[in-house]
Amino acid sequence: MGKILRDHDLIEKFKQIIDAPQEDGTKKEQEIQNFLEDNAELIPTPHRLNHQVNLGAIISKFPLGNRYITDYVYISKSSDRWNVVFVELELPEKTMFTNAKNQVNATSKFNEALNQVRSWQTYLNNHRQEVIKQLEPLLVPPVMRRNKINFCFELIYGRSCEKNSTERSDYINLISEQSNIKIMTYDTLISYYESDLIIQKDIMSFKQGKYHYKKLVTKPQNVFSYIGPGELELTNEQKNVLRDDGYEIDKWCNGEMLTHNIRFTKSTFENMILSQNHYPGIGS
């Protein structure tokens, strides 16, 4: 993962997308998700632990069995636990509250969005080990798979201007606490980008039993040390990019893990050390 500078033009482009009315025949939610995946530094990760986002990757459209599809998932770890975070994106123009004057009432659309995430929670309660098994290739190093795994949930919905009173803000905070769903607006995403650590992220997907890179924009750290070709599939273009960057990706494709300096197999690295011992000028 690489740190990058904040791009104020990027913020303006994002604001234009979320402010624009939805046009007939278009899917604005997908347009927003595509923009976030193209500019993954905008994706907030408030549940990340001190080891940051695991493998530097967001998993797009991660499926929960055959019943549900999340908008994305990210994983983070500390020395003793994992956070696996499931995220739902809704439209920014959807409202949270009705126009009732004397009380705070949530709209039916907002309740539907909450219920969507609650349905994931129910599914995960009943199929916890199945989902962990599906995620297991990404839970590296393997020795840490025995650590506690927490499932966390985020809902990105609406705009912050709706939380225009203490009562409404308190209502959202209470719902978040009671439901174990962190509720954020699209303005919250901008706030995170403006104030939080800005890190590039790759975009993965899971299909046909394997992980894939939808967008590979970083120099992967430890991915090829722990995840083999039976679990991760690369395109020819991605292989070429990695070869050009010094990864022994052909050896990886043949089952040798790149366990040394993120790019080399053990045998290559040992030969490099041996050559330097025989010819001290090498590498100096």
Side-chain angles (χ1 to χ4, degrees):
M1 292 185 295
K3 297 179 183 178
I4 56 177
L5 298 175
R6 288 173 176 80
D7 183 345
H8 295 290
D9 289 338
L10 178 61
I11 296 173
E12 292 306 312
K13 290 177 184 176
F14 186 54
K15 286 180 179 178
Q16 290 175 11
I17 290 175
I18 61 178
D19 287 340
Q22 177 160 327
E23 298 178 7
D24 291 341
T26 64
K27 293 186 177 180
K28 186 173 177 179
E29 284 180 32
Q30 189 59 51
E31 181 185 2
I32 290 171
Q33 178 148 5
N34 291 343
F35 188 85
L36 290 174
E37 291 183 4
D38 287 339
N39 304 278
E41 60 269 31
L42 276 170
I43 296 176
T45 53
H47 281 99
R48 72 177 186 271
L49 300 171
N50 58 315
H51 285 216
Q52 304 299 328
V53 176
N54 202 50
L55 302 178
I58 304 292
I59 306 103
S60 174
K61 300 294 184 184
F62 183 79
L64 298 177
N66 296 319
R67 296 182 61 185
Y68 305 110
I69 298 178
T70 64
D71 283 311
Y72 61 86
V73 166
Y74 67 92
I75 303 169
S76 189
K77 68 175 179 282
S78 65
S79 58
D80 63 351
R81 66 188 171 105
W82 296 89
N83 280 351
V84 179
V85 189
F86 302 85
V87 185
E88 168 76 358
L89 295 172
E90 293 284 341
L91 286 170
E93 53 262 41
K94 285 186 176 180
T95 56
M96 296 180 181
F97 302 105
T98 68
N99 293 323
K101 293 182 179 180
N102 298 321
Q103 58 185 350
V104 177
N105 288 336
T107 63
S108 59
K109 293 293 185 184
F110 185 51
N111 285 328
E112 284 175 12
L114 287 170
N115 287 336
Q116 172 65 45
V117 182
R118 288 185 179 117
S119 66
W120 299 351
Q121 292 172 326
T122 301
Y123 181 87
L124 288 162
N125 284 339
N126 295 327
H127 300 85
R128 178 181 177 85
Q129 294 307 317
E130 295 171 33
V131 175
I132 290 174
K133 185 69 175 177
Q134 196 170 327
L135 290 165
E136 192 171 83
L138 307 183
L139 301 179
V140 297
V143 70
M144 297 185 74
R145 289 175 184 164
R146 69 189 69 171
N147 291 352
K148 179 181 179 182
I149 297 175
N150 297 324
F151 289 157
C152 309
F153 304 89
E154 296 173 7
L155 170 63
I156 300 172
Y157 183 108
R159 305 299 296 270
S160 292
C161 59
E162 274 212 273
K163 297 187 291 182
N164 56 4
S165 70
T166 301
E167 290 80 7
R168 287 185 171 190
S169 292
D170 288 346
Y171 179 91
I172 294 298
N173 292 336
L174 180 62
I175 292 296
S176 291
E177 183 178 339
Q178 290 177 339
S179 64
N180 189 31
I181 301 169
K182 183 173 179 61
I183 300 168
M184 296 180 284
T185 70
Y186 283 88
D187 302 284
T188 309
L189 270 63
I190 295 171
S191 296
Y192 269 108
Y193 180 79
E194 291 176 332
S195 61
D196 199 8
L197 185 66
I198 303 302
I199 300 175
Q200 286 181 316
K201 310 174 193 73
D202 299 315
I203 305 296
M204 283 183 162
S205 63
F206 181 83
K207 53 186 178 182
Q208 297 178 336
K210 284 189 177 184
Y211 287 92
H212 305 255
Y213 276 111
K214 287 183 67 178
K215 297 184 184 299
L216 179 57
V217 298
T218 74
K219 294 177 173 57
Q221 304 284 317
N222 299 318
V223 171
F224 306 111
S225 302
Y226 296 111
I227 305 176
E231 298 161 325
L232 173 64
E233 190 168 296
L234 300 172
T235 66
N236 288 333
E237 180 181 356
Q238 288 165 354
K239 291 176 187 176
N240 289 335
V241 169
L242 291 163
R243 284 190 198 99
D244 290 344
D245 207 16
Y247 290 80
E248 291 191 294
I249 210 64
D250 294 307
K251 290 187 176 181
W252 176 84
C253 288
N254 289 325
E256 292 187 71
M257 307 305 279
L258 309 187
T259 55
H260 288 67
N261 285 11
I262 77 171
R263 289 176 170 82
F264 306 115
T265 63
K266 179 181 179 181
S267 59
T268 295
F269 190 77
E270 288 176 345
N271 287 334
M272 290 168 64
I273 297 300
L274 184 63
S275 296
Q276 290 177 16
N277 289 335
H278 281 297
Y279 306 99
I282 294 178
S284 60

